[in-house]
Amino acid sequence: MVPSLDAIVVGAGVIGASVALELTRAGYVVMVLDRDAAPGHGSTGESSAVVRYHYRHRDEAVLAWESGARWARWAEYLGEVDPLGTATFVNTGLLLLSGELLDLTDPRTHMQALGITVEKLDGDQVRERFPAIDPGRLGPPSLPADDRFWADPRGDVVAYWMPECGFVNDPQLAAHNLAYAAEAHGAGFRFRSVVVEVVRERNRVAGVRLSSGELLEAPIVVNASGPWSASLNELAGVLGDFSTSTRPLQQEVITLPAPKDFRLGAGGVCVTDADLGTYFRPEMGDTLLVGGMEPPCDPLIWLDSPADARVSVTQSTWNVQSLRAARRLPGIGVPGRSRGIVGVYDVTADWIPIYDRTNLDGYYVAIGTSGHGFKQAPFVGELMASLISACEAGHPHDREPVVVPASWTGHSVDMGHFSRLRKVVAQDGMG
């Protein structure tokens, strides 16, 4: 028998599991529904799981910094010991190579104001500290068919070293950790459960109906369904006042053998290469993950449905990203066989998430994470729980946005930045 529910969360990825944990900690009776077989089996499990803090906007930087503090003390934050094990934050630091894809003026100002360490390096300092990396200016980003791709370096890029960054070793396990902690506080999880109807009574959400025909009743529904979020919002009929909605975008990350001097414990760090339009980091087992920053020269693969995503990386992505990695890491070996991971982002026009209420009372969204969701997730749950509690108590969030204290770092987040009603300035790629 289904218990009397206060809230239904749709999506058991890292965002949905985080929302469930914080709602249960706040005293709500929660049920989480997911179409997959276990927590984190969708886009979460395909995340590169990089934890970094350079953002154009202060509230996103605070959100990432507060979440980073929780990732770094993950077991303490969870407060429960998952029998499957505990995900680990790997503190590699991050080297940002500047380029026209990213103006670091605002991000650097935000990080310095928040107390995040940022050290400026010239090319010789990069060579000395990170001998595997060629800091030559090779951009702007282009494709191998363009002669500019092969041009000799034109001086060196300016670099920035951020020692407090890193990555989480097992994103799927991290989602399971959150789900386990939520279950310990009373949350229920149901998998292989597909929502086909959002039920309403007048202007209030009343629950959801599943493909099995079963009706689950609750006065609160949270859409945390990642790349499936747009279709759920259409079912709910809430998109009329959104200034931006979400679209599923196919993402491909390739894997290469890491050079011997660029492996975990041996010179390997996370790198954001705004000069070439890529990012890479060492992985467990002497592997390198390489992904893109969506430069204008790279075609974006929009999907009608997340189910349309490929199961393996395209040869074109493999060629471009492996050659970009080889230009930045001259000692790398590029095998003839392509390998990698295909995931799906849930993307807004400005690449900023939507963490908000909607015009249907009781229906909330934690969507459009645009590749930022994993690193932000530990604090997103608390943002959403605070927002829901405030709105359910009558707070006029659309007029007076909720401000949530970031208790681990001493800052705060103005949730108006993530409003569905915000002024949208379209961006080409990651913020």
Side-chain angles (χ1 to χ4, degrees), residues 386-430:
S386 297
L387 172 72
I388 291 166
S389 294
C391 291
E392 294 303 305
H395 182 82
H397 173 65
D398 289 345
R399 296 198 309 272
E400 301 173 19
V402 171
V403 176
V404 182
S407 59
W408 287 51
T409 58
H411 302 288
S412 62
V413 169
D414 182 341
M415 292 195 67
H417 178 72
F418 304 101
S419 170
R420 73 194 188 283
L421 307 174
R422 66 180 180 260
K423 181 179 179 180
V424 173
V425 179
Q427 302 288 339
D428 291 327
M430 60 193 297

Side-chain angles (χ1 to χ4, degrees), residues 31-308:
M31 177 66 72
V32 183
L33 306 173
D34 197 281
R35 64 177 56 237
D36 286 313
H41 273 211
S43 54
T44 292
E46 291 132 7
S47 173
S48 297
V50 173
V51 178
R52 52 93 172 175
Y53 311 118
H54 50 279
Y55 281 90
R56 296 184 180 101
H57 306 285
R58 178 194 177 277
D59 290 292
E60 291 167 80
V62 173
L63 179 47
W65 183 228
E66 176 74 8
S67 294
R70 299 172 189 215
W71 285 123
R73 294 152 58 189
W74 190 231
E76 178 184 347
Y77 168 69
L78 293 169
E80 305 290 339
V81 180
D82 187 339
L84 290 187
T86 303
T88 301
F89 172 70
V90 183
N91 180 205
T92 60
L94 183 144
L95 184 69
L96 188 149
L97 305 177
S98 63
E100 62 182 49
L101 280 184
L102 179 60
D103 180 353
L104 203 65
T105 303
D106 288 340
R108 190 180 182 194
T109 298
H110 300 323
M111 288 187 289
Q112 290 174 333
L114 297 175
I116 303 170
T117 304
V118 185
E119 182 184 0
K120 188 175 181 179
L121 305 178
D122 61 26
D124 289 339
Q125 290 171 311
V126 172
R127 291 183 183 89
E128 180 180 356
R129 296 196 197 183
F130 310 100
I133 297 176
D134 179 357
R137 185 175 299 282
L138 303 169
S142 57
L143 298 175
D146 188 329
D147 289 342
R148 293 177 300 172
F149 187 92
W150 306 101
D152 292 334
R154 299 172 305 285
D156 292 335
V157 298
V158 175
Y160 297 88
W161 172 239
M162 306 167 205
E164 290 143 319
C165 301
F167 68 92
V168 175
N169 70 328
D170 190 332
Q172 194 172 101
L173 178 59
H176 194 279
N177 293 162
L178 288 163
Y180 182 84
E183 285 183 308
H185 284 79
F189 282 76
R190 292 180 58 171
F191 298 98
R192 302 294 190 193
S193 298
V194 179
V195 175
V196 295
E197 181 184 359
V198 175
V199 181
R200 61 167 70 202
E201 293 180 357
R202 297 184 178 87
N203 196 45
R204 176 93 205 180
V205 75
V208 300
R209 192 176 302 278
L210 305 181
S211 58
S212 64
E214 182 180 5
L215 172 66
L216 296 178
E217 297 180 314
I220 295 169
V221 172
V222 183
N223 181 355
S225 58
W228 297 94
S229 69
S231 58
L232 187 61
N233 283 340
E234 289 174 1
L235 288 176
V238 298
L239 292 173
D241 65 352
F242 276 54
S243 61
T244 182
S245 189
T246 64
R247 297 175 66 188
L249 175 69
Q250 181 173 297
Q251 285 288 308
E252 301 178 24
V253 176
I254 71 166
T255 60
L256 296 169
K260 290 183 179 180
D261 52 355
F262 198 81
R263 295 178 177 177
L264 288 178
V269 298
C270 296
V271 175
T272 296
D273 189 345
D275 181 50
L276 281 179
T278 189
Y279 71 87
F280 52 90
R281 70 161 177 83
E283 174 66 299
M284 305 298 181
D286 299 335
T287 298
L288 191 72
L289 298 186
V290 185
M293 291 179 64
E294 296 83 34
C297 61
D298 291 5
L300 298 179
I301 305 173
W302 297 106
L303 305 174
D304 291 329
S305 166
D308 297 334

Side-chain angles (χ1 to χ4, degrees), residues 6-29:
D6 298 319
I8 295 169
V9 177
V10 183
V14 70
I15 293 287
S18 176
V19 171
L21 173 58
E22 294 299 344
L23 282 175
T24 58
R25 283 175 167 171
Y28 291 82
V29 179

Side-chain angles (χ1 to χ4, degrees), residues 334-352:
V334 178
R337 183 179 179 183
S338 60
R339 293 182 179 178
I341 303 166
V342 178
V344 184
Y345 281 178
D346 183 33
V347 178
T348 61
D350 55 9
W351 293 70
I352 296 171

